[in-house]
Amino acid sequence: MEATIALAGNPNSGKTTLFNELTGARQHVGNYPGVTVEKKQGIYAGNGYKFQVIDLPGTYSLTAYSLEEVVARDYLVNEKPGMVVNIVDASNLERNLYLTLQFMEMGIPVCIALNMMDVAKTRGIEINAEKLSDLLGIPVVPTVARSGKGKKELMEAVAGNVSRSAPAPLSISYGGDINTALDEMEGDINAQSFLTDRYPARWVALKYLEKDEQIVDLGQKEDPSFSQKIESVVQKVSDHLSDTLDTYPEAMIADQRYGYIHAITKQGVIKHSRHQNRLRLSDKMDKVLTNRFLGPIIMVAVLMGLYRFTFTYSEMPVDWCERFFGWLGGVAEANLPGGLLKSLVISGVIDGVGGVLGFVPLIMFMFFGISILEDSGYLARVAFMLDRVFRIFGLHGSSVMAFIVSGGIAGGCAVPGVMATRTLRSPKERLATLLTVPFMNCGAKLPVFALLVAAFFAENEAIVMLIITLIAWLGALLVAKLLRTTVIKGESTPFVMELPPYRLPTFKGLFIHTWERTWQYIRKAGTVILGISIILWAMMTYPGLPESQARRFEEKRAALLTSVPPSIVNDVTSAGEDRGLSPRAEEIKDQLMTIDFQEAESALRHSLAGRIGTTLEGLTALAGFDWRTNIALVGGFAAKEVVVSTLGTAYSLGDVDPEETGSLSKTLVNAPGWSPLTAFSLIIFTIFYAPCFVAVVCIAREAGSWKWGAFSMVFNTIIAFSLSVAVYQAGSLLGY
Ligand code: GDP
Ligand code: MG
């Protein structure tokens, strides 16, 4: 075997010393073609192995900031050595690992020579090489180049790994904004096969973000217009970062890399036997905030505070919104001619979309709170703490971020959540994660919960919201455990979690992040939800009552009116306001309204959606859902917000006096068949049942098979239904 190995590392890490130690006399010195950078080559022969060894120029990074970096990188890309031996100065570990990460991000096979172990020791630094190797997933061999110690073990490790196929490029999370941009660029670059014959797509994207001159030049030559397109994405995220966090991509990327490294080293990799390490401010804060005992308590208090903040301060504006849509409905009622158009506008559009839009203030407050947690870096700590728990359930540290993105705290979306699982390297852990993230409380489920909580648990909104969140997590984790012990069995892999330094969020940043998410919500209500709302309205309106039945109600009304004196009839039919109605007239009016209500209800039952709802009722009654709720839940397969809009439409179609109805939550409280228990059962069902259609498509795509998309729909709905039935039946037995 004569593989080539390249020695790489920071200047003064001991490369040349090790190179001389390995190659002895068998070496020669030249220059890299075209540049005056020294190129040393030699042969290692010993204990049965023979390798070509190259001493690469010393570099701190692999971005084209200097000639040395360009030379080293070009060599790696063009010559593709069998293995890079990364010489790492153990007495300065975190700084040196920065380069290591970049090899890994390029998907280059790498092994670490943990050099200067003697220096580290005299400085009171103890390093656990095995742990480091586990966490990074690459071989790590302690060496002292000057005395040749560890040389043999190092070559053993190289020989044992050199013939392996190249590892998948490491994917680090660079924070929400950059991740989103990276995902977008990576997709485009792959689709265009832009430079992908030489470099991994994500790496190219990363270099564009880092403004790597060499790669950008290369890209511009390769495909000028496409390069332009990528540069404009970079410009966008640069502007965005400067607006929101007062930083720029390169700084953010470096921060996150060091965060990643720090997260590794703090897991028992480095031990300082003397208290000489200066604690950075972030570390000091972490001592408290991620403390084993205090951390979780603080975390629950913070979440509780978030919910309390959201519900308390959004109450008034939500009320204004509801009043506004109520008023709008009234205006439409008074000004539109009766008939289908009026029904469409009031029941389909205003009550449907209005129900969803009414929650905009609440969503906005929630997102504002979450932006604070995210921009300050606390959210990453939440992930870090939950990570310990995750491993118990067969998931991985990187799963946590996916859960949080999907709405682990509240108000995310399963679609980016499912995409975020791409950072998981083990396919099984990834599958288990992407199948369970839809259980989180995404932004679309929020209005459903908010509606039901406001109606039935108004006293304890924040607590109930916290309970809902905990149920979602517990359910997701238990299901993950179930999956990991049955259909997706397998070993768990070590995890690493990035901890960027804490930073003070900027006000401008908070507002921009809040507004972006709120606007997404509003736009969805105005487009997708509006469309579905209208379709469902049509399903709830057609086919209309058959002539004969409609005539029966007409006859009933006529019969009622002929049975009383004409003066009363006159009073009842003409009076807009019920001022001065005699008790007798009042009674007649009520009876008339009852007939109207019965007619509206039979019409709804007779409609297509009504028939579906009533057919399912036999089954869903076990969980306390009547036919109207069924209609809403069926609509929720398209998008969860639709549950609210459909309930709005269903109750307004079955309603005869819109002027008297207040908000939908009040309507529900007074509606027959509704109780806190029914509401709770519906909440449970909403947490767990099939992901919305878009999420299912995304799951199928990311899992690589339609089978898993179908699985998530069927499996989740079965789980949801079983839990709701259990809750409802147990609750009924206990007399709730
Ligand atoms: P390069 O810049 O990476 O090529 O580093 P060199 O090989 O020139 O080494 C830099 C200095 O570190 C030299 O003075 C070496 O003697 C010294 N050195 C290299 N490896 C070790 C080691 O393991 N322990 C100690 N104490 N010194 C080392
Ligand atoms: Mg040297």
Side-chain angles (χ1 to χ4, degrees):
M1 162 167 68
E2 196 174 316
T4 303
I5 58 176
L7 305 188
N10 290 8
N12 286 319
S13 55
K15 265 182 313 83
T16 306
T17 314
L18 184 68
F19 176 81
N20 291 337
E21 195 56 48
L22 289 174
T23 58
R26 282 166 289 191
Q27 47 173 277
H28 62 95
V29 182
N31 273 342
Y32 283 95
V35 291
T36 55
V37 175
E38 189 178 76
K39 183 184 190 186
K40 286 178 122 183
Q41 276 177 288
I43 307 278
Y44 168 84
N47 44 331
Y49 311 119
K50 196 171 176 197
F51 300 117
Q52 271 261 71
V53 188
I54 310 277
D55 186 19
L56 291 179
T59 58
Y60 293 108
S61 90
L62 283 183
T63 305
Y65 294 131
S66 70
L67 184 58
E68 280 75 17
E69 286 169 342
V70 174
V71 167
R73 194 166 83 187
D74 283 350
Y75 178 83
L76 294 175
V77 172
N78 298 328
E79 307 293 328
K80 295 203 181 6
M83 175 130 270
V84 167
V85 174
N86 180 199
I87 324 288
V88 164
D89 177 353
S91 67
N92 202 356
L93 186 62
E94 295 198 354
R95 178 96 180 77
N96 276 247
L97 287 178
Y98 193 77
L99 179 64
T100 315
L101 279 197
Q102 296 182 60
F103 292 127
M104 295 175 73
E105 287 189 285
M106 271 181 96
I108 291 173
V110 58
C111 104
I112 289 184
L114 197 57
N115 198 31
M116 308 259 190
M117 284 302 272
D118 54 332
V119 180
K121 203 167 172 189
T122 56
R123 290 203 197 149
I125 303 166
E126 211 177 292
I127 295 177
N128 185 339
E130 220 165 282
K131 187 114 202 192
L132 180 61
S133 165
D134 272 355
L135 293 175
L136 284 176
I138 58 177
V140 176
V141 182
T143 60
V144 179
R146 207 149 64 173
S147 66
K149 209 169 135 191
K151 175 173 86 174
K152 257 194 164 140
E153 290 80 354
L154 181 64
M155 288 300 109
E156 292 280 350
V158 170
N161 288 280
V162 77
S163 50
R164 296 234 185 120
S165 56
L170 170 67
S171 170
I172 294 179
S173 165
Y174 285 109
D177 295 324
I178 293 193
N179 284 346
T180 312
L182 274 177
D183 284 344
E184 181 186 344
M185 289 190 274
E186 186 185 5
D188 288 351
I189 289 171
N190 268 326
Q192 190 83 9
S193 300
F194 178 73
L195 301 176
T196 47
D197 52 335
R198 277 153 284 175
Y199 308 103
R202 199 175 184 82
W203 187 86
V204 172
L206 202 53
K207 291 298 129 178
Y208 264 84
L209 276 170
E210 288 180 290
K211 301 220 160 57
D212 184 295
E213 275 180 26
Q214 193 203 18
I215 295 295
V216 176
D217 277 354
L218 205 64
Q220 279 165 349
K221 282 201 198 92
E222 178 101 357
D223 184 343
S225 69
F226 184 74
S227 177
Q228 198 74 50
K229 189 176 159 201
I230 298 290
E231 282 167 67
S232 69
V233 177
V234 171
Q235 193 55 49
K236 219 172 61 199
V237 67
S238 296
D239 292 345
H240 195 64
L241 280 180
S242 111
D243 278 347
T244 55
L245 296 174
D246 198 18
T247 182
Y248 51 97
E250 287 154 280
M252 193 82 180
I253 288 170
D255 269 4
Q256 301 280 343
R257 280 200 189 121
Y258 279 118
Y260 187 89
I261 292 170
H262 194 58
I264 291 180
T265 55
K266 73 186 278 181
Q267 291 181 61
V269 170
I270 301 186
K271 278 210 192 79
H272 294 270
S273 39
R274 283 175 227 156
H275 292 287
Q276 65 193 115
N277 57 327
R278 238 174 351 101
L279 277 183
R280 288 187 288 153
L281 180 63
S282 269
D283 280 352
K284 278 191 192 156
M285 290 172 69
D286 274 338
K287 279 252 139 63
V288 180
L289 292 177
T290 63
N291 178 286
R292 212 164 259 274
F293 302 104
L294 279 178
I297 297 174
I298 296 175
M299 177 168 77
V300 171
V302 166
L303 294 189
M304 194 63 206
L306 173 72
Y307 297 139
R308 190 157 295 219
F309 164 80
T310 307
F311 281 102
T312 313
Y313 291 101
S314 67
E315 197 178 321
M316 239 169 35
V318 166
D319 194 47
W320 294 337
C321 275
E322 279 179 347
R323 271 166 209 247
F324 171 75
F325 287 110
W327 169 81
L328 203 62
V331 169
E333 174 69 34
N335 294 303
L336 287 174
L340 275 178
L341 177 71
K342 181 172 185 172
S343 164
L344 170 66
V345 171
I346 294 179
S347 299
V349 179
I350 298 180
D351 287 336
V353 176
V356 177
L357 283 183
F359 290 103
V360 163
L362 185 127
I363 299 283
M364 213 154 98
F365 276 86
M366 182 74 89
F367 284 151
F368 185 75
I370 290 176
S371 296
I372 296 181
L373 300 188
E374 192 169 11
D375 290 2
S376 64
Y378 184 70
L379 208 54
R381 271 68 185 183
V382 170
F384 174 76
M385 286 184 278
L386 293 175
D387 188 272
R388 296 176 197 145
V389 180
F390 263 58
R391 291 156 67 71
I392 303 172
F393 295 93
L395 293 172
H396 185 271
S398 310
S399 314
V400 179
M401 232 29 203
F403 273 69
I404 289 183
V405 170
S406 306
I409 290 176
C413 174
V415 172
V418 168
M419 310 262 249
T421 61
R422 286 182 186 176
T423 54
L424 277 110
R425 275 187 279 172
S426 143
K428 286 182 175 165
E429 286 165 346
R430 178 165 181 226
L431 191 56
T433 309
L434 69 81
L435 287 175
T436 44
V437 290
F439 292 143
M440 296 293 106
N441 298 327
C442 69
K445 293 182 198 171
L446 270 188
V448 185
F449 299 149
L451 170 73
L452 296 171
V453 169
F456 296 97
F457 308 100
E459 317 275 276
N460 307 304
E461 286 180 326
I463 300 231
V464 174
M465 204 49 214
L466 186 67
I467 292 175
I468 291 175
T469 307
L470 293 179
I471 291 175
W473 279 87
L474 191 67
L477 290 177
L478 289 175
V479 169
K481 185 75 186 171
L482 176 71
L483 293 174
R484 289 286 278 139
T485 44
T486 53
V487 269
I488 12 184
K489 247 190 249 182
E491 286 293 295
S492 59
T493 54
F495 77 92
V496 166
M497 180 122 285
E498 307 86 83
L499 291 183
Y502 287 104
R503 57 169 96 228
L504 206 61
T506 64
F507 259 109
K508 198 172 162 202
L510 291 179
F511 282 115
I512 293 177
H513 278 145
T514 306
W515 175 245
E516 276 171 357
R517 291 171 186 164
T518 309
W519 177 239
Q520 263 177 6
Y521 180 85
I522 295 175
R523 210 172 45 192
K524 193 168 166 197
T527 53
V528 183
I529 309 293
L530 176 63
I532 298 172
S533 204
I534 290 175
I535 293 174
L536 284 168
W537 167 83
M539 284 174 70
M540 286 188 253
T541 307
Y542 297 100
L545 267 191
E547 193 77 16
S548 59
Q549 281 194 41
R551 206 170 327 116
R552 272 227 320 273
F553 285 106
E554 207 46 64
E555 283 163 10
K556 259 184 164 176
R557 268 188 289 261
L560 180 67
L561 289 180
T562 46
S563 70
V564 291
S567 68
I568 291 186
V569 173
N570 200 37
D571 273 358
V572 171
T573 48
S574 66
E577 291 105 72
D578 21 9
R579 130 185 73 83
L581 274 191
S582 65
R584 178 77 178 125
E586 197 71 73
E587 194 183 309
I588 297 299
K589 195 179 174 190
D590 278 353
Q591 283 176 10
L592 266 182
M593 262 169 59
T594 309
I595 297 173
D596 286 352
F597 182 77
Q598 285 166 346
E599 180 175 13
E601 185 170 289
S602 338
L604 183 55
R605 270 185 193 273
H606 188 78
S607 72
L608 184 57
R611 287 177 209 189
I612 297 174
T614 27
T615 310
L616 291 173
E617 203 175 38
L619 189 61
T620 58
L622 290 172
F625 307 152
D626 72 348
W627 58 283
R628 288 180 218 245
T629 310
N630 291 345
I631 299 177
L633 291 173
V634 170
F637 274 104
K640 294 275 153 74
E641 295 96 329
V642 172
V643 174
V644 172
S645 57
T646 310
L647 281 176
T649 308
Y651 278 92
S652 89
L653 280 178
D655 204 328
V656 280
D657 192 0
E659 279 166 54
E660 259 191 22
T661 49
S663 63
L664 180 55
S665 51
K666 283 182 209 125
T667 312
L668 288 186
V669 175
N670 297 325
W674 280 90
S675 68
L677 180 61
T678 327
F680 193 64
S681 170
L682 181 56
I683 286 175
I684 296 289
F685 191 81
T686 307
I687 297 176
F688 292 103
Y689 89 114
C692 68
F693 186 66
V694 188
V696 170
V697 171
C698 194
I699 287 172
R701 204 177 50 208
E702 294 295 316
S705 152
W706 273 102
K707 201 181 71 186
W708 289 115
F711 174 87
S712 74
M713 283 182 73
V714 176
F715 178 76
N716 293 13
T717 306
I718 291 175
I719 293 220
F721 188 64
S722 318
L723 287 176
S724 298
V725 170
V727 163
Y728 189 72
Q729 295 302 331
S732 305
L733 277 182
L734 293 174
Y736 283 101

